[in-house]
Amino acid sequence: MTNAAIAARGLEKRFGPVAALRGIDLDVPAATTLAVLGPNGAGKSTLLRLVAGLARPTAGSLRVGNPGDDRRRTRGRVGYLAHASFLYPALTARENLIFAARLYGVLDPRRRAAELLEAQGLAAVADRPAGGFSRGMAQRLAIARGLVHDPSIVLLDEPYTGLDRAAAHALTERLRELRAAGRTLVLVTHELSRACELADRAVVLARGRIVHAAEGPALGLAALEQAYLASVESAA
């Protein structure tokens, strides 16, 4: 697919004798949102790590961003929120964002940090060490860090973890804004209703394979629930 922001063919990832991904074929068009569903151990986080450039495939091909981009440029296009926050606990919220902004070459790191702290409702605690944050506060800071360089591709691994209702609503609105602005989103979640609400297309993984794919009118909650339950049973 020529307009795919992410394209995989026969993608595999093994850890010794264990196959985390087995022959994944996937196209994610630019400016769309893909939901990735499946039980624990299905390969969802491994897929995100490969797309983020944090791991290399064992076999198959994977293109992220524009054809011909080198590895460094590709990683600069990607924002990644891992399941763990990976914040520096001794640094303040502001320092965490400034440090990340400098790594990505953001022109005005302090201004960008201030913008994101305000957007995430963290301005009042900007100068507190991140190690003292609650799970929800740390998650909001990690989301801000993932967006610090205004990436064109945003990868989110269970981003709603630890968020209260207000913060979850704010994140949903932010994801909608990003998509409206032409960003490509890949959302790993166990919340099927959010997948239906936010995604243009969805895939269900089980044992490292895509066992269900849907888009457009076929992206319904009942069908996703059935495919998800089948994937859980197959992984048991």
Side-chain angles (χ1 to χ4, degrees):
M1 185 178 293
T2 56
N3 71 331
I6 302 166
R9 295 291 180 272
L11 188 65
E12 297 187 4
K13 181 61 179 178
R14 302 186 69 89
F15 298 95
V18 178
L21 293 175
R22 308 164 185 254
I24 298 293
D25 293 331
L26 184 66
D27 288 299
V28 185
T32 65
T33 299
L34 171 73
V36 181
L37 311 168
N40 292 335
K44 305 183 301 298
S45 295
T46 298
L47 177 60
L48 282 198
R49 286 181 57 81
L50 290 176
V51 175
L54 300 177
R56 292 183 180 273
T58 305
S61 65
L62 174 64
R63 177 179 60 77
V64 181
N66 299 326
D69 281 354
D70 59 26
R71 186 176 176 85
R72 180 176 180 181
R73 179 169 293 184
T74 296
R75 289 190 66 175
R77 296 181 184 277
V78 175
Y80 176 52
L81 172 67
H83 189 58
S85 68
F86 295 118
L87 299 169
Y88 293 98
L91 298 183
T92 67
R94 189 188 313 277
E95 289 167 342
N96 267 280
L97 294 185
I98 290 173
F99 179 73
R102 286 174 174 163
L103 286 178
Y104 282 105
V106 175
L107 292 179
D108 192 340
R110 289 186 174 276
R111 180 176 178 178
R112 181 60 174 159
E115 291 172 350
L116 289 168
L117 289 166
E118 184 67 33
Q120 292 295 330
L122 295 172
V125 294
D127 297 309
R128 284 174 47 186
F133 279 13
S134 68
R135 181 68 179 96
M137 291 168 63
Q139 186 74 345
R140 283 186 279 154
L141 182 57
I143 291 167
R145 188 188 60 182
L147 300 175
V148 73
H149 55 304
D150 194 21
S152 60
I153 299 171
V154 182
L155 313 175
L156 304 114
D157 196 348
E158 297 289 351
Y160 290 92
T161 300
L163 299 183
D164 59 26
R165 181 174 297 181
H169 176 74
L171 174 58
T172 295
E173 293 304 306
R174 181 60 176 142
L175 296 182
R176 286 174 172 157
E177 291 170 1
L178 288 169
R179 186 192 163 210
R183 304 300 186 263
T184 304
L185 310 179
V186 181
L187 170 67
V188 166
T189 181
H190 288 287
E191 300 185 46
L192 304 188
S193 59
R194 292 199 190 279
C196 291
E197 181 182 8
L198 291 167
D200 303 288
R201 55 188 61 206
V203 295
V204 179
L205 298 183
R207 296 177 181 265
R209 300 184 186 276
I210 294 176
V211 296
H212 179 78
E215 60 181 289
L219 186 58
L221 182 58
L224 278 184
E225 286 179 338
Q226 183 177 3
Y228 185 85
L229 288 174
S231 74
V232 172
E233 291 174 359
S234 72

